[in-house]
Amino acid sequence: MTSLLSEGCDHVAFTMKVSEDQVVEDNASFQDEEDSFFQDIDLLQKHGINMADIKKLKTVGICTVKGIQMTTRKALCNIKGLSEAKVEKIKEAAGKMLTAFEYSAKRKHVFHITTGSQEFDKLLGGGMESMAITEAFGVTAQLPGEDGYSGGKVIFIDTENTFRPDRLRDIAERFNVDHDAVLDNVLYARAYTSEHQMELLDFVAAKFHEEAGVFKLLIIDSIMALFRVDFSGRGELAERQQKLAQMLSRLQKISEEYNVAVFLTNQMTADPGAGMTFQADPKKPIGGHILAHASTTRLSLRKGRAEMRIAKIFDSPDMPENEATFAITAGGIADAKE
């Protein structure tokens, strides 16, 4: 494996399939759409912004016009060499370029990534959605791909040393994909602290920009593990939630700026208030309201018989509360066999 990050990033693999509701009729026109989505900040030169200032933006990971829109004026002013006047000029130029980029147009670029189970995909409205954060808690889910249209590359950030490249061999065999080719499609990074986890997002954004339109999925397993270690006790809760909010805001911006799906796994904890109610399961996902509001779709996963798992929509802006049964097999997630 090739080392990519000084803190232990290995080049491993994965393949994903964009669900079949995204039909590519013409490769050339599809490429044009991808190009129009990723507006490189170099284009700001046409609007009077000099290259020196553009380079300053790139040093802090702002590489697209959308990225400027997502960054506050205060944060831009903190970049060395950018005055308030320059920031205002940059914001104005970016605004002109993005005026025509309305929400309806943006939604045309949204795609879904299959989980490997048709029933699970139905629950999610077609699979994991791009430009959104999908959170699963209760059971860590492995996400296999399918053959056909690959959908692109994956970045996997591991916080608990749970990732096993060998698992990909069985998944590759199931979907008739060459294992060695699969190993070229995922970048793996191990995060050791919550601070390091945040720093890795700068690397992620840089890779998404470097290979615009190629990466389709970012997985973090798990989002809260290192925060629980680094911030212990009630005295540090406020600081933990502030740092968590910053990370989740960055993730949401990355998902929209580069049109990728973000999948987070989370842990559960006992709910002290559950005894006062008729809750069947007195546990809740950790992370509080900060994580609850940041996640677009929240899934509760629980164990069934043997390989069986039950996924339930815990919270979603457009999907009704429902359940789906699936199985975790040697070849990854699959439909359950009754």
Side-chain angles (χ1 to χ4, degrees), residues 160-172:
E160 298 183 286
N161 195 28
T162 55
F163 186 74
R164 296 294 180 268
D166 289 346
R167 283 280 287 116
L168 297 175
R169 189 174 301 278
D170 292 334
I171 295 173

Side-chain angles (χ1 to χ4, degrees), residues 265-334:
T265 67
N266 195 10
Q267 301 157 336
M268 299 186 76
T269 187
D271 184 355
M276 310 284 289
T277 68
F278 295 99
Q279 267 183 250
D281 189 358
K283 295 188 290 294
K284 63 179 182 179
I286 60 176
H289 295 298
I290 298 291
L291 188 51
H293 292 310
S295 300
T296 312
T297 299
R298 308 190 87 192
L299 296 170
S300 170
L301 307 182
R302 66 181 189 272
K303 198 175 187 305
R305 302 186 310 274
E307 297 178 335
M308 305 276 278
R309 301 290 186 273
I310 298 95
K312 181 179 180 179
I313 294 287
F314 190 78
D315 188 24
S316 172
D318 50 16
M319 298 304 298
E321 185 174 309
N322 206 349
E323 290 188 353
T325 302
F326 64 98
I328 295 181
T329 69
I333 289 177

Side-chain angles (χ1 to χ4, degrees), residues 7-265:
E7 301 261 20
C9 176
D10 295 318
H11 199 183
V12 296
F14 213 89
T15 55
M16 302 301 297
K17 173 183 177 293
V18 173
S19 65
E20 294 174 5
D21 60 354
Q22 182 192 25
V23 180
V24 181
E25 296 179 346
D26 180 79
N27 288 334
S29 63
F30 177 73
Q31 187 61 48
D32 288 342
E33 285 190 7
E34 286 293 306
D35 291 342
S36 66
F37 187 87
F38 300 99
Q39 293 179 295
D40 196 291
I41 58 171
D42 287 350
L43 296 172
L44 289 173
Q45 290 181 85
K46 296 178 181 178
H47 295 265
I49 309 302
N50 65 57
M51 198 60 202
D53 289 338
I54 290 173
K55 285 181 178 178
K56 290 168 188 172
L57 293 168
K58 289 182 177 180
T59 61
V60 294
I62 301 173
C63 301
T64 67
V65 177
K66 185 76 173 175
I68 293 170
Q69 186 189 47
M70 292 175 168
T71 307
T72 64
R73 284 173 171 78
K74 181 179 178 181
L76 290 173
C77 286
N78 287 333
I79 300 171
K80 188 176 180 180
L82 291 187
S83 63
E84 287 187 23
K86 282 186 176 180
V87 166
E88 201 57 43
K89 188 176 179 181
I90 289 169
K91 277 284 191 180
E92 184 181 349
K96 287 178 181 176
M97 293 180 66
L98 291 166
T99 300
F101 196 73
E102 298 176 351
Y103 181 77
S104 58
K106 184 179 78 169
R107 292 297 298 177
K108 289 195 299 184
H109 293 274
V110 169
F111 58 84
H112 294 83
I113 298 174
T114 181
T115 62
S117 161
Q118 291 183 0
E119 290 303 310
F120 203 163
D121 288 348
K122 284 180 187 176
L123 183 71
L124 293 171
M128 290 175 291
E129 187 175 273
S130 68
M131 297 194 212
I133 295 175
T134 302
E135 175 199 352
F137 51 87
V139 179
T140 297
Q142 295 276 334
L143 303 176
E146 292 186 37
D147 53 2
Y149 180 59
S150 67
K153 295 184 179 180
V154 178
I155 292 182
F156 191 109
I157 295 178
D158 185 359
T159 68
E160 298 183 286
N161 195 28
T162 55
F163 186 74
R164 296 294 180 268
D166 289 346
R167 283 280 287 116
L168 297 175
R169 189 174 301 278
D170 292 334
I171 295 173
E173 288 179 3
R174 171 189 168 190
F175 293 104
N176 300 314
V177 186
D178 180 72
H179 181 250
D180 291 330
V182 167
L183 287 174
D184 289 328
N185 287 332
V186 166
L187 295 182
Y188 170 84
R190 174 75 193 281
Y192 295 97
T193 67
S194 57
E195 189 176 74
H196 183 213
Q197 188 174 332
M198 187 68 170
E199 290 168 357
L200 285 175
L201 295 187
D202 290 335
F203 164 78
V204 166
K207 291 301 294 181
F208 286 169
H209 181 262
E210 181 184 325
E211 300 183 57
V214 173
F215 284 91
K216 298 295 182 184
L217 176 65
L218 169 62
I219 301 172
I220 301 181
D221 182 21
S222 70
I223 187 67
M224 288 299 301
L226 295 175
F227 282 94
R228 297 184 89 181
V229 173
D230 295 347
F231 301 93
S232 58
R234 289 190 174 274
E236 296 185 336
L237 182 60
E239 185 182 1
R240 185 193 83 171
Q241 293 303 89
Q242 181 186 43
K243 297 291 185 184
L244 176 63
Q246 291 171 354
M247 175 172 291
L248 293 168
S249 175
R250 184 89 166 99
L251 281 171
Q252 185 61 52
K253 288 175 182 176
I254 286 173
S255 75
E256 292 186 31
E257 186 175 357
Y258 296 105
N259 192 19
V260 297
V262 175
F263 185 84
L264 313 176
T265 67

